[in-house]
Amino acid sequence: ALALYNLLIFISSRYKEYLYYSLYLISSTLWIFYVYGSMAHYFEIYGDIPARFNFGIMLAPIFLALFIQTIFKTKEKYKLEHKFLSSIIVVSLSNFVYGIIDFTSALEILTLSLSYALIVFMWISISLYIKGDKLIKIFLFAHTFYLIFSVYALLYFIGLAESNYVSSHGTGIGLIIEALLLSYLVAYKFKMMEQEKEEEKLKQIELKLLAATDPMTKLYNRR
């Protein structure tokens, strides 16, 4: 629902943040469909076809990196962080293309590429937070939630955490929480933009009023 909603907003507004966020949600949802056996359960599709939905988790870091680059304007404001985000796109895209050629081998290196993406996302979040970015707190909060639940799920799958609903659904829960917080991040950014526009309008009005009441301005106009 969030993916479709933000895709419609992109169509009407043309803000790329909504497009990348929507594509990130769609790719993550495709992967969740595979992980939880939804293709088999709801559509009775088995075998190699559902496994191909792993392509979703290969594409998700690409769209998330593009989302971060766009919403935080890293190309103009944070050059180093922008380069690392671009490296995530290159690594993940390479893995995706390799998966088209040799899907099994691509899956074997998927964990490494995802781990690299997660580490870089966290480092960038902390780096931008230290540099005082106003919006990064929301993303840092969202990504931290995702990491916590994902690590808990990983510990469960390797036998180091007890079996319960949260541990067995940790990755899905983490993705949902992150998705909701990122949706708030987008909405909050554009709310800030509107406030800045209003403040700029008020400043322009104040300057005009000041100019209209300034004695020197009146004398100049008479001349």
Side-chain angles (χ1 to χ4, degrees):
L2 276 173
L4 293 174
Y5 173 71
N6 281 274
L7 189 59
L8 290 172
I9 294 178
F10 164 72
I11 293 171
S12 62
S13 69
R14 296 299 174 181
Y15 286 119
K16 292 181 180 179
E17 290 90 334
Y18 290 108
L19 174 63
Y20 296 141
Y21 175 61
S22 178
L23 292 174
Y24 169 66
L25 291 178
I26 292 171
S27 57
S28 298
T29 302
L30 290 176
W31 178 72
I32 290 175
F33 253 69
Y34 163 71
V35 170
Y36 290 102
S38 300
M39 296 300 293
H41 182 74
Y42 294 108
F43 305 105
E44 297 185 359
I45 299 175
Y46 305 92
D48 185 57
I49 294 176
R52 295 282 171 175
F53 277 60
N54 268 305
F55 277 124
I57 203 63
M58 295 179 184
L59 292 171
I62 297 174
F63 298 128
L64 185 57
L66 289 168
F67 172 78
I68 296 171
Q69 286 182 337
T70 306
I71 201 163
F72 293 107
K73 297 181 179 179
T74 55
K75 188 174 182 180
E76 296 83 13
K77 298 167 66 177
Y78 309 107
K79 302 288 186 182
L80 180 61
E81 289 81 357
H82 184 81
K83 290 179 181 178
F84 272 96
L85 288 169
S86 298
S87 72
I88 290 176
I89 296 171
V90 171
V91 170
S92 299
L93 187 60
S94 299
N95 193 31
F96 175 78
V97 173
Y98 183 45
I100 298 174
I101 301 169
D102 189 345
F103 185 70
T104 304
S105 298
L107 285 179
E108 293 176 357
I109 61 174
L110 177 60
T111 303
L112 292 175
S113 64
L114 289 177
S115 298
Y116 173 72
L118 289 173
I119 292 170
V120 172
F121 285 141
M122 181 55 70
W123 169 74
I124 287 174
S125 301
I126 296 171
S127 177
L128 267 59
Y129 177 77
I130 294 172
K131 291 179 179 179
D133 192 287
K134 295 179 180 179
L135 293 172
I136 197 61
K137 291 180 181 179
I138 303 172
F139 180 81
L140 179 59
F141 195 54
H143 196 57
T144 300
F145 260 108
Y146 173 72
L147 280 178
I148 290 171
F149 281 98
S150 296
V151 170
Y152 190 37
L154 178 62
L155 293 175
Y156 161 70
F157 283 116
I158 63 178
L160 296 179
E162 62 180 15
S163 176
N164 55 52
Y165 184 85
V166 176
S167 63
S168 59
H169 297 80
T171 304
I173 294 171
L175 277 170
I176 290 170
I177 294 174
E178 184 181 51
L180 292 171
L181 289 172
L182 290 183
S183 179
Y184 173 72
L185 170 61
V186 177
Y188 187 71
K189 178 191 175 178
F190 287 105
K191 180 181 178 181
M192 286 181 59
M193 288 175 61
E194 289 298 322
Q195 288 178 345
E196 289 173 358
K197 288 180 181 178
E198 289 297 323
E199 289 174 1
E200 185 62 30
K201 287 181 181 178
L202 289 173
K203 286 181 181 178
Q204 293 296 327
I205 292 172
E206 288 177 1
L207 288 173
K208 288 180 180 179
L209 288 173
L210 183 63
T213 56
D214 186 7
M216 294 299 295
T217 304
K218 290 181 178 180
L219 181 62
Y220 178 79
N221 289 334
R222 288 174 183 173
R223 291 180 179 179

